[in-house]
Amino acid sequence: MVRYVHDELRDVFSALAASAVNVAVMVSVRGFSPVRPSGLALLAGLALAFLAVYTLLRSSRLKWFSGVKQFEAAVPVEDTDAALPTGDSLRRHPIGLRLFAACVAMTLPLALLWDSWMAVFPLWPALAWLGRAVVCARWERRHGRLVWRGHLPEEPWELSVSRRPPTRTATDAPPA
């Protein structure tokens, strides 16, 4: 099992790393070509607008877009101590190697042979993954639960929820 937020952030970091590798290869092969500031500002504005609209739709309760309904319909995990993993965290494995390799393998040849903007194409789905992580983190904080993915090995997309463990203090004293 892996936390839903960590899984989505791992995908974001993989896409960022793939874009960085693509840009480094593009600069080393084709050289640095300056970008017009007006085009870059327009692209950044459209990307931020997409992220805002997508995140608002995911946090709503609309039938086709809602991520909140998925979290509320998740299967509760009763025995939290036995079910929750301890070692696989975002800190130890920040990049999913399969997604990283897939992003580089699909976009780098297109960037080299067709258009250099394809080097940063992995950033587009990364915006959606970032929006999902934000919606889930907000839902977890409001409901005092953690959302997990992969509770059932035969259905790794199935979501489950558990109680949030109590916060620890520096002296291991109970929180006030």
Side-chain angles (χ1 to χ4, degrees):
M1 278 188 357
V2 64
R3 277 195 56 198
Y4 184 84
V5 173
H6 291 183
D7 194 34
E8 296 296 328
L9 288 177
R10 186 173 293 120
D11 292 345
V12 170
F13 295 152
S14 300
L16 286 173
S19 293
V21 167
N22 288 345
V23 168
V25 170
M26 287 297 300
V27 167
S28 66
V29 169
R30 288 191 179 175
F32 181 74
S33 61
V35 179
R36 290 179 292 145
S38 62
L40 185 62
L42 178 65
L43 182 66
L46 288 174
L48 290 176
F50 169 76
L51 177 62
V53 168
Y54 182 78
T55 303
L56 286 173
L57 287 173
R58 291 290 295 178
S59 63
S60 72
R61 294 190 180 275
L62 295 174
K63 182 178 181 179
W64 299 105
F65 300 105
S66 177
V68 174
K69 286 184 178 183
Q70 292 175 346
F71 304 144
E72 291 172 349
V75 178
V77 178
E78 298 301 327
D79 187 14
T80 58
D81 295 333
L84 302 182
T86 57
D88 189 26
S89 69
L90 186 63
R91 190 178 322 149
R92 292 186 186 191
H93 304 286
I95 294 176
L97 294 179
R98 290 180 188 160
L99 181 62
F100 171 77
C103 286
V104 170
M106 287 189 293
T107 57
L108 186 58
L110 290 173
L112 289 171
L113 299 174
W114 185 36
D115 191 10
S116 59
W117 279 102
M118 292 303 292
V120 294
F121 185 76
L123 296 179
W124 186 255
L127 292 174
W129 295 324
L130 184 62
R132 287 185 204 162
V134 166
V135 169
C136 182
R138 184 173 178 248
W139 187 87
E140 285 180 346
R141 185 169 292 274
R142 284 187 165 194
H143 291 86
R145 301 215 175 262
L146 298 176
V147 180
W148 300 89
R149 180 182 276 162
H151 177 64
L152 302 172
E154 60 274 1
E155 296 177 357
W157 60 88
E158 186 77 26
L159 297 180
S160 57
V161 293
S162 67
R163 285 176 280 134
R164 182 180 289 276
T167 57
R168 292 182 51 196
T169 60
T171 60
D172 278 339

